[in-house]
Amino acid sequence: MDMTAMDGGFADPPREAALAFRAALQAMARPGRIEQVSGAVPPAPVSRAAGALLVTLCDPETGIYLAPSHDTPALREWITFHCAAPLVGPSHADFALGTWEALQPVSAYRIGTPEYPDRSTTLIVEMDRLDPAGARLTGPGIKAEAALNLPDLAAFQANRARFPLGFDCYFTCGDRLAGLPRSTTVTEAG
Amino acid sequence: MSDQAALTARKARLSALAKAPHDRLLALWARQGPVPAHDLLRAPEIGTVMVRGRAGSVGAPFNLGEMTVTRCSVRLASGAVGHGYVQGRSHDAARAAALIDALSEDGQAAALEASILTPLREGADAAKVARAERAAATKVEFFTMVRGE
């Protein structure tokens, strides 16, 4: 077993997990707002923000799907040691991790059912950059409007159209993350 | 030693450490000398695990109940990794179990087997025998009187 697989967990788990959980909640409650998280050091190519999300949100009861861009033996071992989460296919995943291109097609993920809309997948999308500029976001949690560079528009508009069903997204880059819940309306900047 | 034999030996080692009384484990560990330098991969943490059973070892599995467990993972300066899981809540015992496991992986298995694991196993066997004897003393022989018809 690769010994580096066991490094990189939270050094002070109660405090760092609480801070990361707060950041994750704020990001999802205020779509487009960029939060900082730190503490976890996952193996490449995973960003620190995505690693902190995995360690904070995943446990033996949440299946994780690793898209081809992130499906490395080192990451599988890291997740097994730090989260003990099962690695599953896209149609059973509670969380999916990868770049936007690798996570396609998004129709493969669970969107919940009318009785249980929470039984859906949360995508953790790794980005090359994360800027508060680009697509225009409006909806719950946004006072007037927010902006975020999104990898796609049509997919998020289609996701909004089937509310209350749909998937939710975190976008991560380095130690920063932003959220885009299914309730947010995405339009082209203009 | 083949991989399979090494795995079996490690399982037996971790099993003995997990079930040992904390004070006995810590007393034997203290006699071992100074604690070697190590990094904590996972600081000692207390949680619960679900204990499952099968009636008569063959029935369908059922949840017997949750038990408290403390676990810890360490890495020595040489790179050897050890994991410790002990029943109950004791950070010190979990860390000692992880260090004993790491040192055993690091080539000191025979010495630790003699100084710590064998006394622990003997203690466990003695406790088992004492308990069986206590139970045997209260054994009642049931028999049926044949009634004269």
Side-chain angles (χ1 to χ4, degrees):
Chain A
M1 190 175 183
D2 182 11
M3 289 308 162
T4 58
M6 296 187 193
D7 283 316
F10 286 144
D12 181 10
R15 188 169 174 280
E16 286 173 331
L19 288 172
F21 189 65
R22 179 71 180 175
L25 283 182
Q26 284 289 355
M28 209 45 105
R30 306 260 177 241
R33 184 155 119 180
I34 295 175
E35 296 281 336
Q36 297 255 343
V37 286
S38 59
V41 187
V46 187
S47 67
R48 293 182 172 214
L53 280 178
L54 290 178
V55 176
T56 307
L57 301 178
C58 297
D59 67 10
E61 291 177 1
T62 57
I64 301 176
Y65 168 66
L66 297 178
S69 61
H70 285 64
D71 192 0
T72 64
L75 181 59
R76 283 173 169 260
E77 288 179 359
W78 192 82
I79 287 174
T80 302
F81 183 75
H82 291 285
C83 313
L87 297 166
V88 297
S91 56
H92 293 91
D94 295 296
F95 292 91
L97 172 66
T99 61
W100 181 249
E101 291 73 30
L103 285 168
Q104 301 301 319
V106 285
S107 57
Y109 303 107
R110 295 191 302 166
I111 57 170
T113 62
E115 291 82 14
Y116 298 98
D118 55 306
R119 291 181 183 171
S120 59
T121 306
T122 300
L123 308 184
I124 302 174
V125 185
E126 295 269 42
M127 307 273 279
D128 293 331
R129 58 189 185 85
L130 201 55
D131 298 319
R136 189 168 153 268
L137 313 181
T138 52
I142 305 171
K143 196 163 187 183
E145 64 176 61
L148 192 67
N149 63 318
L150 295 179
D152 195 352
L153 278 181
F156 297 113
Q157 287 164 347
N159 192 40
R160 173 68 184 90
R162 62 192 168 193
F163 186 86
L165 305 185
F167 54 82
D168 307 299
C169 288
Y170 281 109
F171 299 101
T172 56
C173 173
D175 61 354
R176 301 182 310 145
L177 69 88
L180 185 73
R182 62 191 85 168
S183 59
T184 300
T185 306
V186 179
T187 47
E188 208 161 336
Chain B
M1 211 184 320
S2 72
D3 280 1
Q4 193 56 46
L7 200 63
T8 311
R10 194 175 192 184
K11 276 186 184 173
R13 176 165 75 228
L14 289 172
S15 165
L17 291 169
K19 290 182 276 196
H22 298 162
D23 47 356
R24 181 94 176 110
L25 172 62
L26 290 172
L28 288 168
W29 174 240
R31 271 200 264 154
Q32 200 62 30
V35 175
H38 61 274
D39 293 329
L40 286 175
L41 295 173
R42 175 149 56 205
E45 57 187 14
I46 296 168
T48 58
V49 296
M50 178 61 75
V51 180
R52 308 190 81 198
R54 284 173 186 274
S57 303
V58 289
F62 64 93
N63 292 342
L64 183 65
E66 283 188 328
M67 75 179 288
T68 314
V69 165
T70 312
R71 68 176 178 179
C72 178
S73 293
V74 300
R75 176 167 49 207
L76 303 179
S78 67
V81 172
H83 306 286
Y85 283 72
V86 298
Q87 54 183 344
R89 35 179 73 226
S90 170
H91 288 183
D92 292 340
R95 186 189 296 228
L99 283 166
I100 291 166
D101 183 45
L103 287 171
S104 301
E105 290 292 294
D106 201 22
Q108 300 185 35
L112 287 165
E113 184 73 33
S115 64
I116 295 179
L117 292 169
T118 305
L120 287 181
R121 289 203 184 98
E122 282 168 358
D125 288 345
K128 200 172 171 183
V129 169
R131 190 183 153 148
E133 281 175 354
R134 236 186 14 256
T138 62
K139 189 175 173 188
V140 179
E141 296 284 356
F142 288 97
F143 56 90
T144 310
M145 302 273 277
V146 180
R147 288 188 297 169
E149 293 290 332

